[in-house]
Amino acid sequence: YSPHPSIIKALSTVSPVPLAAGVGGGVTQGRRSAQIATYADANGCLAVVLNAAVDPETVRMVKENVDIPVIYTVIAKHQIIKEHIEAGVDILNISGGKETAEMTRIFRERYPQIPIIATGGKTDEQILETIDAGANAISYTPKTTQKVFQENMEKYREEMEEEFDEDVE
């Protein structure tokens, strides 16, 4: 979704934890991203996030307008980010799917001082590999409510089947 102040306002009003607000990407850039970032800052967001598609000038405009960290998303190991960092990126967000650990290692070597948040992966092993590669923090997308409910129902059915089998014997 394109970032909008109404989304930031709604989330910041009800969230029990600090937020990092998405303020730019493929569709939203330039002055509009800077305005939304200013709004996010004023509404108590902890950081703002710019997706890989933004140019360094957008990073510069956002950085000039906020007093909170600017996070920049890296999506490919061959992505050139030097100008983005020079424009004011404070934190990298590595999001490379199955290549996240490798990308984390590459960008940690290139930029040893910049903090890195990385997507965690689907297993504990993938998360640990990404931490070992140099991530300072891991972002994790939990199972959906539907998936949790489905797993619980399957467990309940198995328990009922075991109870039934014991009762019938």
Side-chain angles (χ1 to χ4, degrees):
Y1 300 102
S2 183
H4 194 276
S6 63
I7 296 170
I8 293 168
K9 180 64 175 174
L11 291 173
S12 64
T13 299
V14 300
S15 178
V17 295
L19 299 173
V23 299
V27 175
T28 307
Q29 296 199 34
R31 196 176 90 230
R32 178 73 174 152
S33 287
Q35 290 170 336
I36 295 170
T38 302
Y39 188 83
D41 189 2
N43 277 274
C45 289
L46 190 66
V48 293
V49 181
L50 292 166
N51 290 328
V54 301
D55 59 9
E57 184 56 30
T58 296
V59 173
R60 189 171 290 102
M61 291 174 78
V62 167
K63 188 67 178 173
E64 289 171 355
N65 283 277
V66 299
D67 292 323
I68 55 179
V70 174
I71 301 171
Y72 179 70
T73 303
V74 179
I75 60 170
K77 60 186 172 186
H78 56 270
Q79 191 170 337
I80 299 170
I81 64 168
K82 184 178 183 224
E83 289 182 19
H84 292 80
I85 292 172
E86 290 170 354
V89 166
D90 298 295
I91 300 168
L92 298 179
N93 174 38
I94 308 287
S95 182
K98 64 183 180 184
E99 294 185 351
T100 296
E102 178 187 359
M103 287 172 54
T104 300
R105 193 172 293 104
I106 289 167
F107 286 96
R108 171 56 64 222
E109 288 173 11
R110 288 183 195 162
Y111 305 100
Q113 299 304 317
I114 196 161
I116 294 177
I117 301 169
T119 54
K122 296 181 180 179
T123 67
D124 291 346
E125 292 77 19
Q126 290 171 327
I127 292 170
L128 290 172
E129 181 184 4
T130 303
I131 292 169
D132 289 342
N136 300 96
I138 297 292
S139 61
Y140 178 75
T141 303
K143 295 177 186 175
T144 64
T145 305
Q146 179 183 7
K147 183 68 176 168
V148 171
F149 188 73
Q150 179 184 18
E151 289 174 358
N152 285 341
M153 290 299 114
E154 288 172 8
K155 183 179 97 178
Y156 300 153
R157 287 184 191 103
E158 288 173 12
E159 290 171 358
M160 286 181 181
E161 188 175 336
E162 289 172 9
E163 289 174 10
F164 178 79
D165 289 343
E166 289 173 6
D167 189 50
V168 173
E169 293 177 0

